[in-house]
Amino acid sequence: MQMSVQVDRGAAADPSDPARHISPDCAGLNFYDLDRALRGLLRLYLAPEDHQKLEPHFRRLGELAGGRLDRLARIADKHAPVLNPRDAFGRDEDWIDYHPAYREMEAIAFGDFQFHAMSHRGGVLGMDRPLPSVAKYAFQYLYVQAEFGLMCPISVSDTSTHLIRKFASDDLKAYLLPKMLSDDMATLWKGTQFMTERAGGSDVGAIETVARRDGDVWRLTGDKWFCSHADADVALMLARPEGAPDGTKGLALFALPRRLKDGRRNSYRIVRLKDKLGTKSMASGEIRLDNAVAYLVGDPTQGLKQMMEQVNLSRLSHGVRAAAMMRRCVNEAKVSAAARVAFGQRVIDFPLLRRQLMKLIVPTEQALSMAMVAARAMDDANAGAAEARDLVRILTPLLKYRACRDNIPVATGSMEVRGGNGYIEEWVQARLVRDAQIGVLWEGTSNINALDIIQRAVGKSGAHKALVATLQRRLGEARKLPESFGKRLRVALDRSIAFAERVAADRQSEHAARLAASALYHAASAIVLAWEGCQPEIDARRLLLSRFVLEHRLTPKDPLAPADDAWEREAIDLVLGDEAVTFVKASGLLTA
């Protein structure tokens, strides 16, 4: 079995050099060229003319992600932002110093690739119109494989612009959008969202920040407890106008500029920066609002509903980020295992290690496929397709919930493949393990997302019906699938939907929401993988991955029964091999 990656980079040519025993990492590889799955899926999910126009930029970002961006990210992780509370004269002109490596990564993201403007105007990367969501999230996926922390400012700048464009008054749009969509780093206003308070994290209705009308503006007073991208130029946040009712119904949405129109600092302060487990490069802090000037965005009685659009866009981005981090973990594990020699043979040739690699690969490929389906549905929804809107409604929390949870064991497993070096901060695995944890916290914990999927998307919105319709069409289109395997997929879908509906209908079953959400995700991803594997643009490995999901995530097994896994050993050889896998070869293992 041959590996498709070169494993002699960084290894000592001199046989007397002790460094020859240390396996290399992925530094210097092109992360786009390395990703057979992404390249195939982009041909499938993007219009041909968009793919042709954008592929050189995907390849360019892939080279940066494995090269310059990767080096900058390692430096920025070691040099966290520093808060300066006052200037030399004792004035509360708080500002944050960033390492030059972070600033250079910003320039690549906001200046070169213009992530913040991709969805909102033409002119980005030579396109005469906004990029499709599939392309935007593919760029995020490549960028995050090098740097995770900065993707928060990138994403919230994009999603803040979405809210301003959709809900703000014409005057507020005229004031903010030229700055938020600028292609000039000197004039660009980057965005963020401040939601969490000590009293209100998941329980948003407990927010205590008060808004008071003052002529054409509002004045906000309160504390925001966890503010990522703490020094953004404009922050969207929820506050309760004086006299508004308690709970979520009384919350309105506001835009808070860091500097006023006359150039003075607005009256709020960054009290301190958080010393976080991960995302060290990016500044998260606590904000104290003291009669700060803000602008009402949209209907004051619809604040939470409007803010949830940003939250849901961020959730989709988090799912993509988890898929990206898992891909980096898989690549690191494969490169390390192919180079390491133990007991006289390569580590990757040991059967137990090969099975361990599959535990990393399967959730990684599930997440990538589900991200592509969600992004394509978003494009269709933006074009006016009603079913696609419902599909986005359920796929967004599904992807966020499951991919972010899977990211943690995948990161840990990748570290284990490298061995003791993976625990050392000189290698990327330690950072991947630290950064993986935040996905189950930002934009809702696993419980919050599972309840959103089952109680609201299924129970209240009925969005699962759009998911069923989409998946049934995919099965109908996968005409080459062996009939018996297609039947197993249909049964898995029917059972997972029935389970979700039962849990949604019975409040006493709330404890099963996570199980039901996971079942939906696994059934959906198994069908999507099978459909993809039947397409001529796609390597048929995805058929095998579909069966791995079906066998290991949706089929009950006796853990003490003898394993009947001859098909699995052959399938693992094909998945880990270098050669393209044909449909005939893969389909023969679907019923073995």
Side-chain angles (χ1 to χ4, degrees):
M1 191 276 297
Q2 298 295 317
M3 288 295 295
S4 60
V5 294
Q6 298 298 313
V7 298
D8 60 346
R9 299 158 294 96
D14 184 353
S16 65
D17 190 332
R20 72 189 187 279
H21 298 300
I22 306 300
S23 57
D25 59 13
C26 290
L29 295 174
N30 185 311
F31 289 172
Y32 180 74
D33 290 342
L34 192 60
D35 199 335
R36 183 202 307 261
L38 176 66
R39 297 197 311 275
L41 292 180
L42 287 176
R43 288 193 297 272
L44 181 62
Y45 286 99
L46 276 177
E49 60 273 18
D50 290 340
H51 181 266
Q52 182 179 12
K53 183 79 172 181
L54 293 171
E55 187 174 40
H57 298 290
F58 292 134
R59 180 159 284 110
R60 181 166 64 93
L61 184 54
E63 181 179 2
L64 282 167
R68 183 63 180 165
L69 268 173
D70 184 59
R71 294 191 294 274
L72 294 170
R74 294 174 192 243
I75 296 169
D77 183 64
K78 299 291 187 291
H79 297 86
V82 176
L83 174 64
N84 300 275
R86 287 184 166 185
D87 68 10
F89 297 94
R91 293 174 295 210
D92 292 328
E93 290 283 344
D94 50 352
W95 72 95
I96 299 173
D97 285 330
Y98 295 89
H99 192 276
Y102 184 87
R103 292 303 192 191
E104 187 175 341
M105 290 192 298
E106 278 189 317
I108 292 171
F110 291 100
D112 186 356
F113 285 88
Q114 298 184 51
F115 281 92
H116 64 291
M118 281 182 175
S119 293
H120 307 292
R121 61 166 171 79
V124 177
L125 302 179
M127 296 286 280
D128 60 359
R129 53 187 166 78
L131 269 67
S133 300
V134 171
K136 178 180 78 171
Y137 289 117
F139 281 116
Q140 290 191 12
Y141 173 87
L142 288 166
Y143 191 95
V144 168
Q145 289 182 53
E147 162 62 7
F148 178 78
L150 186 56
M151 186 49 65
C152 174
I154 293 169
S155 176
V156 287
S157 293
D158 167 40
T159 58
S160 296
T161 299
H162 170 79
L163 292 194
I164 297 299
R165 290 182 66 203
K166 185 169 182 178
F167 298 115
S169 66
D170 289 342
D171 286 346
L172 189 56
K173 289 178 185 177
Y175 172 42
L176 293 178
L177 287 180
K179 302 176 182 68
M180 298 177 76
L181 291 174
S182 174
D183 59 2
D184 178 4
M185 293 295 291
T187 60
L188 169 65
W189 274 24
K190 297 186 286 290
T192 191
Q193 63 180 37
F194 297 162
M195 286 188 64
T196 304
E197 298 186 7
R198 278 170 286 198
S202 297
D203 183 7
V204 178
I207 280 176
E208 296 176 335
T209 297
V210 175
R212 177 177 58 84
R213 185 71 179 264
D214 182 14
D216 293 334
V217 300
W218 292 72
R219 298 278 183 172
L220 305 188
T221 300
D223 279 18
K224 295 294 181 179
W225 181 243
F226 198 106
C227 303
S228 290
H229 196 198
D231 60 342
D233 300 288
V234 59
L236 297 186
M237 65 181 64
L238 295 173
R240 195 178 311 280
E242 290 181 327
D246 293 338
T248 58
K249 292 182 180 179
L251 297 175
L253 179 63
F254 296 91
L256 176 89
R258 182 157 173 78
R259 293 201 170 271
L260 304 177
K261 291 181 178 180
D262 61 7
R264 290 180 297 121
R265 277 279 282 109
N266 203 347
S267 52
Y268 72 88
R269 296 293 170 261
I270 304 171
V271 179
R272 65 169 176 165
L273 297 185
K274 301 285 194 181
D275 186 7
K276 298 169 293 181
L277 172 66
T279 63
K280 296 280 191 179
S281 63
M282 186 267 299
S284 299
E286 298 167 22
I287 304 295
R288 178 175 297 146
L289 303 155
D290 183 16
N291 236 16
V293 171
Y295 299 90
L296 180 67
V297 179
D299 186 339
T301 68
Q302 300 294 310
L304 179 60
K305 183 178 180 181
Q306 293 168 171
M307 176 62 91
M308 283 306 298
E309 290 208 19
Q310 183 170 34
V311 170
N312 284 325
L313 287 169
S314 295
R315 283 176 174 171
L316 181 52
S317 177
H318 267 291
V320 173
R321 289 177 236 179
M325 290 179 68
M326 285 191 277
R327 174 67 68 200
R328 179 68 187 268
C329 290
V330 164
N331 288 339
E332 292 291 341
K334 289 172 69 176
V335 165
S336 178
R340 283 184 65 193
V341 174
F343 309 106
Q345 68 181 93
R346 295 187 312 160
V347 170
I348 200 169
D349 294 329
F350 288 102
L352 196 57
L353 192 281
R354 295 170 75 76
R355 191 171 188 275
Q356 182 181 352
L357 285 176
M358 291 304 300
K359 290 183 178 181
L360 312 184
I361 291 170
V362 171
T364 299
E365 301 295 356
Q366 284 180 274
L368 177 59
S369 288
M370 292 291 276
M372 289 291 104
V373 172
R376 181 57 184 268
M378 181 173 288
D379 287 331
D380 294 340
N382 291 338
E387 184 181 273
R389 287 196 296 270
D390 287 340
L391 191 58
V392 172
R393 172 65 185 91
I394 194 166
L395 283 177
T396 293
L398 265 181
L399 176 66
K400 197 277 183 185
Y401 164 68
R402 193 64 257 171
C404 290
R405 291 196 59 75
D406 288 342
N407 192 13
I408 295 172
V410 168
T412 303
S414 176
M415 177 179 67
E416 186 178 10
V417 171
R418 186 167 291 280
N421 281 337
Y423 196 67
I424 305 304
E425 292 284 354
E426 290 175 323
W427 300 86
V428 73
Q429 272 92 356
R431 173 160 55 95
L432 293 170
V433 169
R434 289 189 280 107
D435 286 350
Q437 313 302 316
I438 197 63
V440 297
L441 301 174
W442 274 344
E443 316 308 342
T445 63
S446 298
N447 286 351
I448 292 296
N449 279 274
L451 291 172
D452 183 48
I453 295 161
I454 301 302
Q455 291 185 349
R456 289 182 283 278
V458 174
K460 292 185 179 180
S461 302
H464 62 299
K465 296 174 184 177
L467 179 64
V468 172
T470 298
L471 295 174
Q472 287 177 340
R473 281 198 300 274
R474 292 290 181 262
L475 283 171
E477 293 164 3
R479 297 181 183 87
K480 296 191 297 182
L481 270 183
E483 183 178 352
S484 59
F485 188 72
K487 182 178 180 179
R488 289 187 66 191
L489 291 172
R490 286 184 172 86
V491 169
L493 175 61
D494 291 345
R495 294 189 67 203
S496 67
I497 291 294
F499 182 27
E501 290 177 336
R502 287 198 306 273
V503 175
D506 182 7
R507 297 290 295 196
Q508 300 300 314
S509 298
E510 181 180 299
H511 64 280
R514 284 166 62 145
L515 288 174
S518 292
L520 277 180
Y521 179 86
H522 294 315
S525 61
I527 291 171
V528 170
L529 285 163
W531 172 77
E532 290 168 348
C534 290
Q535 306 309 306
E537 304 96 329
I538 303 296
D539 186 279
R541 276 176 174 79
R542 304 194 89 66
L543 287 172
L544 301 175
L545 295 166
S546 174
R547 183 172 181 185
F548 276 105
V549 174
L550 193 61
E551 299 290 354
H552 291 279
R553 296 290 183 266
L554 293 164
T555 302
K557 292 186 183 300
D558 179 353
L560 303 181
D564 182 16
D565 58 0
W567 79 271
E568 197 166 286
R569 292 192 297 274
E570 188 174 348
I572 290 173
D573 286 344
L574 290 174
V575 171
L576 294 180
D578 186 39
E579 299 300 320
V581 177
T582 66
F583 178 85
V584 171
K585 189 172 291 186
S587 62
L589 292 174
L590 295 182
T591 56

